[in-house]
Amino acid sequence: MSSWILDDVRMLRYMRPRHLVRPPLGGHDVHMIGGTPVIRTPDQRIRVFVSSTLRELAEERAAARRAIEALRLAPVLFELGARPHPPRALYRSYLEQSDVFVGIYADSYGWVAPEEEVSGLEDEYNLAPASMPKLIYIKASDARDERLAALIGRIQSDDTAAYLPFHTADELEARLGDDLATLMAERFEQSRSPGGDGDDEPHAGALVSRVPVPYTTTIGRQGDVAAVVQMLTHGGDRLVSLIGPGGIGKSRLAIEVALAAAHEFPDGVYFVALENVLEPALLLPTIAYSLGIRDNGEAAIEERISRALEGRRVLIALDNFEQIVEAAPVLVRLYTVAPLASFLVTSRVVLRIRGERVYDVQALTTPADGAPATLERAERSSACALFVDRAQAAAPAFALTEANAGAVMDICRRLQGLPLAIELAAAKVRMLSPHAIAERLERSLPLLTAAVRDMPERHRTMRATLEWSVSLLPPAHRALLEDLGVFAERFTLEGVEALEPGRAWEGGAIEGLAALVDSSLVTQTDLDGRSVLSLLAIVREYALGRLKERGEADLVRAAHADYYRDLVVRLAPQLRGPGQAQAVAELGLQLANLRAAVRHLVHIDRLDDAGDFAWALLIYWWIMGLFAGVRVWMLELLGKEQPITQHTRAVAWFFSLWGQLWQRPAQEVVAGLGEVTRLFSESGDEDAAAMAFAARATARVQLPDPDIDRAESELNEAVERLHAVGNPWGEAITRVSLGRVAWLRGSIDDALAHLERATAIAQEGGDLFTRSIAGNQKGRLLIVQGSIDEAERVFVRTLLDSLRLRHEEGAAYGLEGLCAVAGARGEPRLAGALSAAATAIRHRVGVFDVEAFTVHSLSLDAARATAPQLVAEGEALGEGLTLAEAVALALPEPERTRAAEVLAHW
């Protein structure tokens, strides 16, 4: 670590090239690429858009994904793109967010939809910006479509594209990997050119990753956005509720307000989706998760949140609050203990709590009844403007004219200016003219709204529009939409296909999803380089309601739970070994549906399956700090009047007692964990029994009057039991507890011996989590002993391990350890910067156990005593560093580059 880095933080802003000159790729005979690609900062991922037909090139698409992910880049495979009705606006947004275009072509040109001139395959190539590097791979063929041959001929004359032939998927994987590596190396080299420091680029903050980015234009809300921002920033309102019926645009307005108000909240803007949170007790855990706070049970989650928000001016948007409105008083407690935090809530009902300021979200403006049907009047209506914009996304040739203005005005009036209803109607212009849509609405809406007279008027209109939109689908697609109601937040094509056997839409998942995307009933987006699908909350509510009416909700819930149970069975063993980081990342992408699966199993009284599901993910809940949510479901399970096995009862009690072990240690907790141990043993699960036995021993250490001797004896016995059953993860984490006990006794040598053994076991098994925990504790003892060089090696490794697991709390420990190293080496500015950066992380994630678990403060105090000004300069710098910048500052080469590669996944 060199202190010169402190002199110019701009050196930490990675790779911002001004241009790229492209030589032949990977030694192949290819054309040149020009353009102006932008290199991401280390906390973003370079995205590679892959365009190809689906079924024809399924093997090649899988090979492309492997090649891209092997380089730690993000593949963007638009699974529904090359199909009859391409959602042009959607994959345009995919392309706009990508950095490299990869085209893979074989025989098929793809189907040209009615009213379209080209297939989705060619349209994707046409929409790719000229400045984007394009890598084209052409499979050898003797039977290629004429139109595809013509497209390839055009590509061969395009000097912005590189192209080459291939024969097999394996050959494609190798060539694509080589070519991307060469391209990335050239971009890195170009970033070193003079003048490339990127001063004009905005500071990479947390906003982009936390607030959803709209994939379509927001229309007619400028006044609303300005008014709500004014209320939050200058009106003295700490809690503003956006109130209105489903489909009126509350969520979109909240997103736009969050984006517009970001500069007024320098400490962060957070967007918390609550649409799949059905239990009021999960409000705080969900907010904590969105803030980056992990609930490992060691402190009350409300206390961690309040401390994380202390002194920070943040805006927290809580979307779809109506289903847990009874939890609203919790917000009063939060904004009382965090006086600088503001809250923006969307809800169909008023929260009715102290401090709430209600903003009624109105529909878009529609032409007055009886107004002449003129083009000018239609153009003045925001509702008509929205219809035109969404209609052009579905059918690019659509235009508002004098001939159709009256029909468009009529549609918007009938739909009362409800944005979602208008979008659903506009999506039909691919099949129907505005006049035909207006006629069908005139016939259908009165009949449909009559059936739901007990709802408020706009609720009736929205429900009726959904019914009408769905009624235009064939029966199989309607059935598919209803089945999708069991998914939470987002889901994948593979998840949908798992529900397929025996359903009315069996064999037609891709085609059905394509139709639902075209109808604006399903949304397709990109997440971490993967194509994911989702339903708006009101559409999911409608779908699940229809599924319940058919009496099939529990059946489909069971299929959903079985798919995610199988996923857990496949991934859970990897949590104990070399695949830990990958398993954590994959489970994180599926977290909403993992939670839904547990909820489904409890709801349909498959309680033993729910217990097995929860226990299989023990390590994941631990690493990610998600114990609070699991405790809610386990308490619900215990409250059911259904028989359960001893094993399930033990699992539920274990999770119920875990938080008490740390927060309210008492003999009752020790006794309870003893009973859990007995139940596990009697059920034949000695592995789980040994884990519970270790937890009981740890509980003894936590008692107000700890029984150290007995705790040490039981921890040693637990280590032997865990070793005997072949659980190295449990053995290593228990040896960490033994190290802590030895430290409490004042025996540093014994503590080091336990921690070194824990590290060795974890390292042998590929367990990053335990290796980082043991390493941080070992590093602190080495600092006390004065073994500075060895301590540095340990903290560098633990920092990298924590980054691989996206574990910010562990990263803070690693930075503090390296702060202690810098202080011991006489680098006061660096020590100050790393301390401040770690403190900022701790503050943000609500961890305040510095006194108990860190020793860097001693080195920092010593540095401050000899060079107070230099420490202060470092602290001023460290307070403003991003995680990526702090890590780059802390690490020597080549670890700095390795960390940047890891952070590219965040």
Side-chain angles (χ1 to χ4, degrees):
M1 294 178 292
S2 300
S3 59
W4 67 266
I5 300 176
L6 291 167
D7 296 331
D8 192 351
V9 179
R10 291 178 301 176
M11 295 294 290
L12 305 178
R13 317 257 186 218
Y14 264 50
M15 301 184 292
R16 286 182 170 84
R18 300 301 182 190
H19 63 280
L20 174 67
V21 179
R22 179 73 173 96
L25 283 168
H28 303 301
D29 181 18
V30 294
H31 284 263
M32 308 288 283
I33 290 182
T36 56
V38 177
I39 277 285
R40 306 284 184 177
T41 53
D43 54 354
Q44 295 173 298
R45 298 189 69 186
I46 297 171
R47 296 186 174 193
V48 182
F49 185 98
V50 179
S51 174
S52 74
T53 49
L54 297 181
R55 297 187 188 279
E56 175 194 30
L57 290 171
E59 186 178 356
E60 286 76 7
R61 289 169 68 82
R65 178 187 287 277
R66 290 194 298 271
I68 295 165
E69 290 180 337
L71 293 171
R72 305 198 175 189
L73 309 180
V76 180
L77 290 94
F78 191 76
E79 299 295 346
L80 306 180
R83 58 182 175 69
H85 299 293
R88 201 167 195 261
L90 184 55
Y91 58 69
R92 180 189 292 274
S93 68
Y94 271 60
L95 280 164
E96 288 174 349
Q97 296 183 52
S98 298
D99 303 276
V100 181
F101 180 94
V102 171
I104 307 172
Y105 307 138
D107 294 338
S108 175
Y109 173 72
W111 191 63
V112 181
E115 302 182 15
E116 297 289 342
E117 297 181 357
V118 298
S119 70
L121 200 67
E122 183 166 0
D123 202 31
E124 288 176 344
Y125 183 82
N126 293 340
L127 289 171
S131 61
M132 179 182 291
K134 302 181 186 70
L135 310 180
I136 308 300
Y137 301 87
I138 302 168
K139 190 172 185 178
S141 172
D142 296 324
R144 187 168 287 126
D145 286 356
E146 289 185 8
R147 294 200 65 177
L148 180 58
L151 172 61
I152 292 172
R154 180 159 67 88
I155 291 170
Q156 290 172 340
S157 63
D158 183 350
D159 63 4
T160 71
Y163 59 90
L164 54 93
F166 73 96
H167 293 82
T168 66
D170 289 342
E171 181 184 2
L172 171 67
E173 182 175 354
R175 288 192 168 187
L176 178 56
D178 289 344
D179 294 344
L180 286 171
T182 302
L183 180 60
M184 294 305 104
E186 290 158 2
R187 297 172 89 174
F188 182 87
E189 184 63 32
Q190 178 60 36
S191 74
R192 298 178 178 177
S193 63
D197 60 30
D199 276 349
D200 56 338
E201 303 220 9
H203 181 75
L207 178 64
V208 174
S209 64
R210 291 193 172 99
V211 179
V213 178
Y215 280 84
T216 54
T217 305
T218 301
I219 292 174
R221 293 299 188 193
Q222 295 88 340
D224 294 310
V225 171
V228 178
V229 169
Q230 174 70 21
M231 292 166 66
L232 286 168
T233 58
H234 297 97
D237 297 299
R238 299 273 314 288
L239 171 61
V240 176
S241 296
L242 306 181
I243 305 298
I248 204 165
K250 301 184 297 295
S251 297
R252 173 59 68 89
L253 178 56
I255 289 171
E256 295 295 350
V257 168
L259 293 168
H263 65 286
E264 297 283 354
F265 295 93
D267 298 314
V269 177
Y270 301 85
F271 197 91
V272 184
L274 297 174
E275 62 186 84
N276 297 297
V277 179
L278 304 180
E279 301 92 344
L282 290 182
L283 173 61
L284 283 176
T286 304
I287 292 175
Y289 183 78
S290 299
L291 292 174
I293 299 168
R294 300 188 181 215
D295 178 23
N296 56 13
E298 294 179 6
I301 194 66
E302 185 171 344
E303 179 185 2
R304 281 200 164 190
I305 294 174
S306 64
R307 288 190 171 185
L309 295 178
E310 184 179 357
R312 296 175 63 202
R313 183 162 171 75
V314 301
L315 174 64
I316 300 174
L318 301 166
D319 192 33
N320 290 297
F321 205 97
E322 60 273 355
Q323 56 204 5
I324 53 169
V325 69
E326 53 267 51
V330 172
L331 296 182
V332 179
R333 299 204 301 270
L334 282 183
Y335 70 66
T336 299
V337 298
L340 297 183
S342 296
F343 296 84
L344 177 65
V345 172
T346 74
S347 175
R348 297 183 198 176
V349 297
V350 178
L351 274 55
R352 302 191 184 283
I353 56 176
R354 176 165 46 87
E356 179 185 23
R357 175 76 176 277
V358 173
Y359 186 90
D360 288 310
V361 180
Q362 301 297 322
L364 299 178
T365 60
T366 60
D369 291 338
T374 65
L375 179 61
E376 180 185 3
R377 287 184 181 276
E379 290 175 336
R380 291 203 303 263
S381 162
S382 59
C384 293
L386 178 65
F387 181 93
V388 172
D389 182 83
R390 302 307 191 256
Q392 289 175 341
F398 178 83
L400 184 66
T401 65
E402 288 286 1
N404 63 24
V408 172
M409 292 167 63
D410 189 36
I411 292 168
C412 294
R413 279 194 294 254
R414 288 187 182 281
L415 299 179
Q416 299 184 31
L418 286 168
L420 179 56
I422 292 169
E423 292 192 22
L424 293 174
K428 304 301 181 290
V429 299
R430 185 180 290 276
M431 299 178 296
L432 302 170
S433 70
H435 291 90
I437 294 173
E439 289 174 1
R440 282 165 172 75
L441 287 174
E442 184 178 8
R443 293 197 304 267
S444 301
L445 284 190
L447 296 175
L448 292 169
T449 54
V452 285
R453 292 265 181 220
D454 58 327
M455 292 183 178
E457 184 178 3
R458 283 197 169 125
H459 283 277
R460 294 202 308 268
T461 299
M462 189 64 249
R463 173 62 184 259
T465 306
L466 276 170
E467 294 272 11
W468 170 77
S469 185
V470 172
S471 72
L472 299 180
L473 298 169
H477 295 171
R478 292 201 298 270
L480 171 59
L481 176 67
E482 293 166 8
D483 287 353
L484 296 181
V486 300
F487 285 101
E489 190 173 340
R490 53 180 179 261
F491 49 93
T492 63
L493 175 61
E494 293 81 5
V496 176
E497 289 176 332
L499 306 185
E500 201 167 10
R503 307 306 295 164
W505 45 275
E506 185 174 2
I510 291 179
E511 292 78 6
L513 289 169
L516 296 177
V517 170
D518 283 342
S519 299
S520 295
L521 292 164
V522 169
T523 300
Q524 185 174 18
T525 54
D526 172 60
L527 180 68
D528 200 21
R530 298 181 58 179
S531 177
V532 295
L533 303 156
S534 60
L535 302 177
L536 291 175
I538 191 171
V539 178
R540 179 181 291 107
E541 177 186 300
Y542 166 82
L544 190 56
R546 291 287 299 150
L547 195 59
K548 290 177 179 177
E549 290 170 12
R550 283 166 38 202
E552 296 187 322
D554 286 353
L555 177 67
V556 183
R557 280 172 170 150
H560 171 280
D562 286 339
Y563 169 71
Y564 288 100
R565 184 186 60 179
D566 291 344
L567 179 72
V568 166
V569 168
R570 176 169 60 84
L571 292 177
Q574 299 177 36
L575 292 168
R576 297 188 177 196
Q580 188 179 75
Q582 292 81 0
V584 167
E586 176 65 21
L587 291 168
L589 288 174
Q590 307 286 357
L591 178 57
N593 279 295
L594 296 177
R595 289 166 161 168
V598 177
R599 188 189 309 127
H600 290 337
L601 290 169
V602 173
H603 177 80
I604 62 179
D605 291 332
R606 285 173 51 180
L607 305 183
D608 294 327
D609 286 340
D612 291 344
F613 191 106
W615 187 252
L617 289 177
L618 170 65
I619 299 175
Y620 177 69
W621 308 134
W622 198 329
I623 293 173
M624 296 304 295
L626 295 169
F627 281 116
V630 183
R631 181 175 184 271
V632 169
W633 298 313
M634 293 301 99
L635 288 174
E636 182 181 349
L637 183 155
L638 290 171
K640 288 258 188 174
E641 295 183 0
Q642 297 287 338
I644 57 176
T645 66
Q646 286 187 313
H647 191 276
T648 299
R649 189 173 302 280
V651 169
W653 281 5
F654 181 92
F655 284 117
S656 301
L657 290 167
W658 182 259
Q660 295 181 51
L661 183 162
W662 301 100
Q663 299 168 33
R664 294 178 296 279
Q667 288 293 346
E668 290 79 8
V669 175
V670 174
L673 288 169
E675 180 66 8
V676 169
T677 302
R678 181 187 68 80
L679 291 173
F680 274 136
S681 291
E682 291 181 358
S683 67
D685 191 343
E686 289 302 325
D687 184 290
M691 289 293 297
F693 187 75
R696 185 179 73 167
T698 301
R700 295 191 190 280
V701 181
Q702 300 300 121
L703 292 172
D705 185 16
D707 188 344
I708 299 297
D709 291 337
R710 189 169 182 182
E712 185 175 34
S713 174
E714 289 185 354
L715 285 170
N716 277 308
E717 182 181 345
V719 164
E720 294 175 2
R721 293 173 65 171
L722 289 162
H723 181 78
V725 298
N727 184 347
W729 186 88
E731 181 184 353
I733 202 74
T734 304
R735 283 193 177 276
V736 172
S737 293
L738 275 170
R740 290 179 59 190
V741 169
W743 192 351
L744 288 174
R745 287 188 180 280
S747 177
I748 291 181
D749 289 341
D750 287 345
L752 276 173
H754 285 302
L755 295 171
E756 286 171 356
R757 181 59 182 148
T759 300
I761 295 171
Q763 184 157 332
E764 182 179 355
D767 172 12
L768 299 179
F769 181 64
T770 308
R771 190 171 74 172
S772 69
I773 293 175
N776 281 326
Q777 303 236 20
K778 177 183 173 182
R780 297 183 191 107
L781 294 179
L782 291 171
I783 292 289
V784 172
Q785 283 190 332
S787 303
I788 304 303
D789 290 346
E790 187 180 355
E792 180 186 28
R793 288 192 292 272
V794 169
F795 283 124
V796 165
R797 187 187 63 210
T798 64
L799 179 54
L800 288 170
D801 287 346
S802 296
L803 295 178
R804 290 191 182 99
L805 290 171
R806 305 189 185 193
H807 191 227
E808 287 192 274
E809 183 177 334
Y813 285 127
L815 291 173
E816 287 168 349
L818 292 171
C819 162
V821 170
R825 286 182 174 164
E827 297 180 285
R829 294 175 68 201
L830 181 57
L834 297 182
S835 173
T839 299
I841 294 173
R842 284 178 165 278
H843 192 169
R844 181 160 43 79
V845 302
V847 178
F848 294 85
D849 56 359
V850 179
E851 297 80 5
F853 289 100
T854 67
V855 296
H856 77 288
S857 56
L858 299 177
S859 297
L860 188 65
D861 289 344
R864 187 177 284 112
T866 58
Q869 182 61 34
L870 293 178
V871 172
E873 289 175 7
E875 289 175 328
L877 171 67
E879 290 174 356
L881 293 180
T882 65
L883 175 60
E885 291 166 348
V887 168
L889 185 64
L891 295 177
E893 287 291 0
E895 286 79 7
R896 187 182 305 150
T897 299
R898 290 165 55 196
E901 293 173 354
V902 173
L903 283 164
H905 286 278
W906 284 44

